[in-house]
Amino acid sequence: MPNSPSTAGRHGAATLTDRTDDRPVYVIGGGPGGLAVAAALRARNVRAVVLEKSDRVGASWRGHYDRLRLHTTRRWSALPGLKMPRRFGRWVGRDDVVRYLEKYAEHHELEVVTGVEVTRIEQAPDGSGDWRLTATGGRVLRARAVVVATGFNHTPRIPDWPGRDTFTGELLHAAEYRDPAPYADRDVLVVGIGNTGAEIAADLAEGGASRVRVAVRTPPHIVRRSTAGWPAQATGILVRRLPVRLVDRAGAVLARIAVPDLSAHGLPRPAPGLYSRVREGAIPVQDVGLIDAVRTGKVTPVATVASFDKDTVVLADGTRLTPDAVIAATGYTRALEPLLGHLDVLDARGRPLAHGPRAPKHTPGLYFTGFTNPISGMLRELALDAGKIAKKVSRAH
């Protein structure tokens, strides 16, 4: 039987099988996006059931590294209908995000069913316009609409580097990293310099690793999280709909003023403009210690990884390193193909073709949230999408 945590509201475990004839809206995923949509639907008197494959809401947040704090402000990270407490501070920590999500489900009396994984979504064969979900335990569920909120960072991805399987050191994905203690007095190579890789590298340098290098394929744009009290997120919100060239030029000027040139330390300023990179999917790195770590030599940028050879990592420029551990901050896949690849709703990268309230034309009633990484802040956009999806569902179904 599926579980139903105390934060899940009024309905027990039996509701999943006893009340499917109600044709609820099924929301797949109990993270911020799924919970926000469920709350917005409930506010419109639409029954929504959140299906979460783990045993608690906010499962992905519980697994993040210890020092993680939101790069978006508390104010612009709250979900619809419940503010984040002031005691969380301006930049909310991982554990407080988890507490907030638990409280959110309880506050809105959401119907959350845990321990159930949906494995296939398809249109009901009777032509009714309903949806049929296949889930663990042989369950077949019927829905008036489906919202997929399984997350942007779903399945850790480590490139299939030549010789990877021969590496005799420790190799792990950043998703497995928690704190620097296990790496004290060890030589560590972090692969990837997105926000996660940059923060882990700084964390290792501060936490006592004997040597920290970060392998860089494409130099990132680096911005201050806050400048004179003005958060970078606020700028992201203001410029989001401005012409790309204008934002690129403004970003270059701001970078020269606020961020030192690290070219002499192996981290040159990127040639493409900041917003041009954002439109390609590369969010700027918010500095939480990387700049100082690179300037002081505590973190050394090196070329990207080309291959492995037993105890050696071979870089693209031919350099050979023998680190004790390699932490791959190399991103995630959405892993949506098994769930709905047969519906022709994904692009070549496996991301939904439609997002928010815009359901694909040939699959009305199927919605997606949380599969973009906007410069204005993911949680903010999840909150906005929740209301739009709920409005569309309540009118169309």
Side-chain angles (χ1 to χ4, degrees):
M1 289 292 287
N3 301 311
S4 185
S6 59
T7 58
R10 302 168 299 164
H11 305 291
T15 61
L16 188 59
T17 52
D18 292 353
R19 297 187 58 187
T20 50
D21 58 340
D22 288 356
R23 295 173 56 250
V25 175
Y26 280 109
V27 180
I28 305 173
L35 297 180
V37 169
L41 287 166
R42 193 171 189 280
R44 289 179 172 269
N45 296 314
V46 176
R47 183 182 176 220
V49 178
V50 178
L51 302 179
E52 169 54 48
K53 69 176 183 179
S54 71
D55 61 350
R56 293 173 291 181
V57 299
S60 64
W61 283 93
R62 297 174 192 274
H64 287 314
Y65 49 92
D66 292 351
R67 83 174 256 163
L68 178 67
R69 289 187 173 273
L70 294 179
H71 292 166
T72 53
T73 66
R74 180 187 71 250
R75 173 189 173 191
W76 285 325
S77 299
L79 304 179
L82 185 66
K83 294 181 179 180
M84 287 188 171
R86 290 180 63 86
R87 68 177 182 275
F88 285 0
R90 193 181 200 192
W91 312 106
V92 182
R94 178 201 62 189
D95 291 346
D96 283 333
V97 172
V98 171
R99 293 186 187 99
Y100 174 74
L101 295 178
E102 291 175 339
K103 181 64 178 179
Y104 190 83
E106 180 182 2
H107 175 81
H108 288 290
E109 297 184 315
L110 301 183
E111 188 174 347
V112 180
V113 183
T114 59
V116 173
E117 181 176 7
V118 177
T119 55
R120 185 177 174 87
I121 300 172
E122 55 195 339
Q123 293 169 307
D126 58 10
S128 64
D130 284 356
W131 289 88
R132 184 168 70 180
L133 282 63
T134 303
T136 49
R139 301 178 182 86
V140 177
L141 311 173
R142 191 179 185 96
R144 59 193 287 191
V146 178
V147 181
V148 181
T150 50
F152 188 83
N153 295 335
H154 187 274
T155 301
R157 181 187 69 86
I158 298 181
D160 189 19
W161 290 298
R164 189 185 77 179
D165 294 341
T166 72
F167 185 54
T168 55
E170 180 183 358
L171 173 62
L172 68 154
H173 191 273
E176 301 175 70
Y177 177 84
R178 293 296 174 269
D179 63 74
Y183 305 96
D185 300 319
R186 299 177 70 191
D187 184 333
V188 186
L189 173 66
V190 178
V191 184
I193 196 169
N195 276 291
T196 297
E199 189 157 1
I200 288 176
D203 197 32
L204 288 164
E206 296 169 13
S210 63
R211 186 168 192 177
V212 181
R213 285 172 284 210
V214 58
V216 181
R217 182 178 62 182
T218 304
H221 284 276
I222 302 175
V223 299
R224 301 288 189 182
R225 187 169 63 177
S226 178
T227 303
W230 180 264
Q233 183 188 9
T235 303
I237 293 170
L238 290 174
V239 307
R240 190 177 180 197
R241 303 193 187 283
L242 293 178
V244 173
R245 288 184 179 180
L246 176 63
V247 180
D248 282 349
R249 287 197 294 267
V253 172
L254 182 61
R256 285 194 293 270
I257 295 171
V259 179
D261 186 356
L262 301 174
S263 299
H265 303 278
L267 198 59
R269 296 189 191 277
L274 184 150
Y275 205 27
S276 294
R277 292 292 310 281
V278 168
R279 295 293 289 270
E280 296 170 356
I283 295 298
V285 170
Q286 293 202 19
D287 178 49
V288 289
L290 178 70
I291 291 175
D292 286 344
V294 170
R295 291 177 72 181
T296 58
K298 293 180 179 178
V299 171
T300 304
V302 296
T304 192
V305 171
S307 63
F308 287 76
D309 182 13
K310 298 180 181 179
D311 66 341
T312 301
V313 179
V314 183
L315 304 182
D317 63 1
T319 302
R320 300 174 69 87
L321 310 176
T322 53
D324 299 310
V326 175
I327 300 176
T330 47
Y332 297 77
T333 62
R334 271 32 77 189
L336 291 171
E337 288 83 358
L339 188 65
L340 36 73
H342 55 284
L343 294 175
D344 195 27
V345 295
L346 305 177
D347 65 17
R349 296 184 299 173
R351 301 185 184 188
L353 291 168
H355 199 266
R358 299 182 304 279
K361 290 183 179 180
H362 64 289
T363 54
L366 178 64
Y367 303 92
F368 297 88
T369 185
F371 293 97
T372 61
N373 195 12
I375 193 173
S376 51
M378 183 177 288
L379 289 173
R380 178 180 181 271
E381 296 305 319
L382 287 176
L384 294 173
D385 275 349
K388 294 174 184 177
I389 292 172
K391 182 178 180 180
K392 181 72 176 294
V393 170
S394 64
R395 289 183 174 180
H397 304 279

